[in-house]
Amino acid sequence: MRIDVITIFPEYLDPLRAALLGRAIERDLIQLEVHDLRNWTYDVHRAVDDAPYGGGPGMVMKPQVWGEALDTVCGEATRLVVPTPAGRPFTQEMARAYAREEHLVFACGRYEGIDQRVIEDAARRMPVDEVSIGDYVLVGGEAAVLVMVEATVRLLPGVLGNPVSAEQDSFSDGLLEGPSYTRPEIWRELPVPEVLRSGNHALIERWRRDQALERTLRRRPELLDRLPEGSLDERDLALLDRVRGEQRQAG
Ligand SMILES: C[S@@+](CC[C@H](N)C(=O)[O-])C[C@H]1O[C@@H](n2cnc3c(N)ncnc32)[C@H](O)[C@@H]1O
């Protein structure tokens, strides 16, 4: 997979070259290039922004500069991703879909964002996603790109040492993952749950499923409503009823 990022702060993307992602680059599992948007400016001030039409605070990123940058960087197989708080929420499902793409280009906005015509124009030639990483406002798109690239690249074949761990992560089966423990058996008077030391794999699997269901119901109940029909068996439903009962009692 090839990933290009266009930004006015290329150094902000340096963490993409560290740890797991850095190793993926070294092993040629991904080709990453970070571009300075100012390379496509043509005035002495290398300006990338201008005052907004209609008035109001802040500045808007200029369409000419972005247009030329995207004309240069995007190709036949590009999906363009534009981070914005006004976008579709980024999910694990989108990370999985991005991991199947051949070429992702990320366009990092700053100030009040990018002139909307840049997105409209690009959408004439390629798929374009305006994507939010959460209901809060960042200063620029770079941190959002770090999040999306990391979530995507770890799903590429060969990137994770143990690919099974990604299959069991939160959201993979629509639920949050339950708690994890390691040695020692007792730490600060807190024991590891007995069942995990039992060696009984069927019991352990059932316990993990129960923990995932209970955690999801308590922390992110809306995820349960989105599960495909038939995902919950009778035992699952009984457990959820019990937890709901406890929640009612606790007020
Ligand atoms: C200050 S924000 C612009 C906010 C914009 N005026 C609005 O209210 O929708 C500047 C840039 O940060 C990035 N950004 C901010 N919050 C984000 C979020 N939640 N998800 C993705 N990108 C975000 C986008 O690239 C955006 O263009």
Side-chain angles (χ1 to χ4, degrees):
M1 166 188 275
R2 182 178 169 83
I3 297 175
D4 287 273
V5 185
I6 309 173
T7 167
I8 56 169
F9 293 113
E11 67 282 6
Y12 206 121
L13 282 306
D14 285 351
L16 286 181
R17 299 186 189 279
L20 201 79
L21 272 62
R23 283 201 296 282
I25 295 169
E26 275 166 27
R27 292 164 58 211
D28 212 26
L29 297 172
I30 53 169
Q31 292 82 49
L32 172 75
E33 203 166 334
V34 179
H35 308 266
D36 186 343
L37 178 69
R38 292 191 201 277
N39 290 340
W40 286 279
T41 56
Y42 33 79
D43 64 311
V44 293
H45 304 293
R46 307 185 82 202
V48 294
D49 59 323
D50 205 340
Y53 267 111
M59 300 293 269
V60 176
M61 295 190 105
K62 290 156 77 75
Q64 306 94 313
V65 183
W66 269 111
E68 284 185 29
L70 293 177
D71 287 348
T72 311
V73 173
C74 297
E76 297 271 292
T78 302
R79 175 174 291 274
L80 176 64
V81 184
V82 184
T84 162
R88 191 155 65 98
F90 185 65
T91 61
Q92 184 69 11
E93 206 181 320
M94 285 161 78
R96 271 196 294 266
Y98 285 176
R100 291 192 292 269
E101 294 285 344
E102 213 173 289
H103 184 205
L104 292 172
V105 174
F106 291 91
C108 300
R110 283 263 153 181
Y111 319 114
E112 291 309 313
I114 302 173
D115 186 305
Q116 191 64 31
R117 290 168 296 178
V118 173
I119 287 109
E120 275 172 44
D121 174 60
R124 292 166 167 159
R125 291 183 295 285
M126 65 193 95
V128 181
D129 298 336
E130 292 182 88
V131 185
S132 165
I133 61 156
D135 291 348
Y136 38 78
V137 179
L138 304 165
V139 184
E142 290 77 7
V145 170
L146 292 177
V147 168
M148 289 188 272
V149 170
E150 182 162 317
T152 301
V153 170
R154 71 188 285 280
L155 298 177
L156 293 176
V159 171
L160 283 183
N162 180 359
V164 176
S165 75
E167 285 162 28
Q168 292 174 352
D169 280 333
S170 294
F171 310 113
S172 306
D173 60 358
L175 301 176
L176 302 181
E177 194 179 50
S180 309
Y181 301 87
T182 185
R183 280 179 290 220
E185 214 171 287
I186 299 174
W187 179 75
R188 296 191 177 177
E189 293 170 32
L190 296 167
V192 169
E194 180 84 44
V195 59
L196 296 178
R197 293 178 276 133
S198 68
N200 182 330
H201 294 294
L203 264 186
I204 292 172
E205 275 320 296
R206 186 62 242 177
W207 183 85
R208 287 193 167 136
R209 173 86 179 160
D210 289 352
Q211 292 292 312
L213 286 163
E214 178 162 352
R215 189 175 260 191
T216 307
L217 178 58
R218 290 188 189 279
R219 298 181 181 180
R220 298 286 307 278
E222 80 283 5
L223 293 178
L224 293 172
D225 301 332
R226 292 187 217 146
L227 289 176
E229 227 182 282
S231 330
L232 301 174
D233 64 19
E234 276 183 24
R235 257 204 80 167
D236 295 335
L237 294 169
L239 176 114
L240 292 172
D241 275 349
R242 176 179 64 70
V243 179
R244 285 193 187 101
E246 285 172 16
Q247 285 179 314
R248 273 195 298 276
Q249 274 187 349

